[in-house]
Amino acid sequence: MSGSVNRPVGRRTFVLGTAAAAGSAALAGPLATPAAAAGFGYSDDGSNYVVDTGASLVFKVSKTNGDLTSLVYRGTEYQGYGGKNSHVESGLGTSTVTVKQSGTTILISVAFGTLKHYYAARSGENNVYLWTDKADSSVSATRYIVRVKAGLFLNDEPDSYTYTTSTVEASDVFAKSDGQTRSKHYSKLRVMDYDYIGWTTGGVGLWIVRSNHEKASGGPFYRSLLRHQSADGGGLYEILYYGENQTESERYGLQGPYVIAFTDGGAPSSSLFPGTLTTSWADSLGISGYVPASGRGRVAGVGISGRNTAYPYTVGLANSAAQYWGSARASDGYFSVGGILPGAYTLTVHKGELAVYSTSVTVSAGATTTLNTIAVPSSNDPGNATAVWRIGDWNGSPGGFKNADLMTYAHPSDVRAASWTGNVVIGSGSETSAFPCYLWKDVNSGIVVYFKLTAAQAAAAHTLRIGVTTAYANGRPQVVVNDTWTSAIPSPPTQPSTRSLTVGSYRGNNYTFSYSIPASAWQTDTSAYNTLKIYVVSGSGTTSYLSAGTSVDAIDLLA
């Protein structure tokens, strides 16, 4: 992502933002208010705790179940569609709900079994700060959803709108009458690409600023449900754990703060963004699982050598309890990742989305772990190998392949998709753009790649590599050369077991299949084309786009 946003025109809306896009017109930033603003405080209406922020926002939290039952900004009610409140998951049920005021902060605490959830208000701010502490699997809680009344914001962005009853898959992928598809699954964005999501009319903006996702799963490149709209209204999500095409187990612990922010139509203040937000005011509130900045550490790297400077590099840290990431500086690979809980982590360097180096680091509270320059061995990057020919780039994603961009926000059956079939000729100049990003057993299995070899090349054995980024129903490639040599069926690598290719995600586990092709398989006539047929094999899956399939990273024939 470049960090830009689509600026609103009239009642046009936009959904995403990064620190570079924060507008100066925002009203949501924390204010250094030494005393409570006029009107700041809370009351009890019998059913709800009613919080007046002393700015333009008044909200209510149910004393029975901890639902957010009202969001009134400048006198307009924004909460609610379909008779539903805003809440953790689809509502927690009967809970213990308490409230306390500590100077210029009001905290509402919700306890439901082992799960604890919190709402906080700061005097003079049009924000609601939220934390969710899921201690174990005894409570189903994978999201917080802000439910927004219909008609307040217009939206027809291709990553969310679900305003038709015609479905093309399950009950959650929809088809418009013009053949375009929509689904709440189509986030379009990786987690690292956005800091906030929401809507604006140009006069009012309603946003969720995401948390740092340290207790979420999937890493920096993961895509998850972000928002949707229907005839009944809209939903904005903070995902605590998302199961679609998930590569990691669920992590438990405190997630937050994430922030519901109202503005005058501009972007939320960058001071609310993950990695920027300062919450020292929350240190003494007694939030379960809360770790202040003083109890966290940092990892910094002098640089990364052996990089391919044509690609961005990302450094990720993960263990079973937490995950973090940061971008490496383009000039020298310097990186710094802060706010890390103490512990031992696996540090992984990614070229694009492809892991090319890993090591172990230990983080201590209040300290910085400094690493000398990380040298990525040339052999760790498959793109450094000399190839007779190559389709795509070894970067851990299907970027550049046919339909790749569309597939993060549309179903493969979408009318905007180019034909999933069609063969490829090496040397045509369109090898990558003509090759489909996804292959399915029931859709386009058996695609042919045509290529010529010199006499010297045809006299030698070669290794063919096919890199994939995920697979559905154990789909994996089997190849046939010149209709005379057939590879063995490879074993399936570990991949997520849920839908992936049809719900906007290619991010699984990167894996490279290698095939040793003997010299006897090649054409001896150097003027004749060799043929490589790539089939998808699996005994699983159903039909069409839910048949066994896989996403392609790169294909090459090594010299």
Side-chain angles (χ1 to χ4, degrees), residues 345-517:
Y345 291 85
T346 297
L347 180 150
T348 304
V349 176
H350 297 87
K351 168 198 173 187
E353 298 184 20
L354 183 66
V356 293
Y357 180 87
S358 66
T359 189
S360 297
V361 297
T362 299
V363 178
S364 300
T368 297
T369 301
T370 302
L371 304 178
N372 293 325
T373 297
I374 292 174
V376 177
S378 178
S379 59
N380 283 21
D381 183 349
N384 290 332
T386 301
V388 176
W389 52 259
R390 178 170 292 145
I391 303 173
D393 298 319
W394 289 96
N395 62 4
S397 85
F401 284 88
K402 183 165 62 174
N403 293 326
D405 290 343
L406 180 66
M407 286 301 97
T408 61
Y409 62 90
H411 190 268
S413 65
D414 195 289
V415 68
R416 292 168 291 178
S419 172
W420 287 104
T421 58
N423 301 320
V424 174
V425 179
I426 299 298
S428 64
S430 60
E431 295 92 338
T432 302
S433 61
F435 198 99
C437 63
Y438 298 163
L439 300 173
W440 290 273
K441 184 177 181 179
D442 203 32
V443 175
N444 55 357
S445 183
I447 278 182
V448 183
V449 177
Y450 294 92
F451 60 96
K452 293 180 178 180
L453 297 175
T454 66
Q457 291 168 342
H462 295 276
T463 297
L464 174 77
R465 303 186 300 183
I466 301 178
V468 302
T469 69
T470 196
Y472 177 69
N474 285 330
R476 66 267 197 199
Q478 181 182 34
V479 300
V480 176
V481 176
N482 292 323
D483 293 324
T484 60
W485 183 88
T486 302
S487 73
I489 297 176
S491 298
T494 300
Q495 296 289 3
S497 60
T498 63
R499 288 180 297 169
S500 53
L501 309 180
T502 59
V503 290
S505 177
Y506 59 79
R507 177 75 279 125
N509 295 312
N510 289 317
Y511 185 83
T512 301
F513 294 93
S514 294
Y515 309 84
S516 298
I517 304 175

Side-chain angles (χ1 to χ4, degrees), residues 100-183:
K100 69 176 181 179
Q101 181 170 343
S102 303
T104 57
T105 301
I106 294 170
L107 180 72
I108 296 176
S109 303
V110 182
F112 179 79
T114 61
L115 184 140
K116 295 179 175 62
H117 180 71
Y118 303 91
Y119 301 89
R122 298 277 289 157
S123 174
E125 297 183 18
N126 292 314
N127 304 320
V128 183
Y129 298 85
L130 303 95
W131 290 262
T132 304
D133 181 20
K134 183 178 179 181
D136 52 44
S137 61
S138 64
V139 179
S140 176
T142 59
R143 67 182 183 182
Y144 189 92
I145 179 170
V146 179
R147 302 186 187 272
V148 183
K149 290 176 66 175
L152 296 175
F153 300 102
L154 299 180
N155 174 51
D156 194 21
E157 293 293 337
D159 63 332
S160 70
Y161 203 71
T162 56
Y163 64 111
T164 175
T165 58
S166 175
T167 58
V168 296
E169 183 177 299
S171 59
D172 55 11
V173 182
F174 300 86
K176 294 174 60 177
S177 59
D178 62 3
Q180 292 190 14
T181 56
R182 300 286 191 269
S183 176

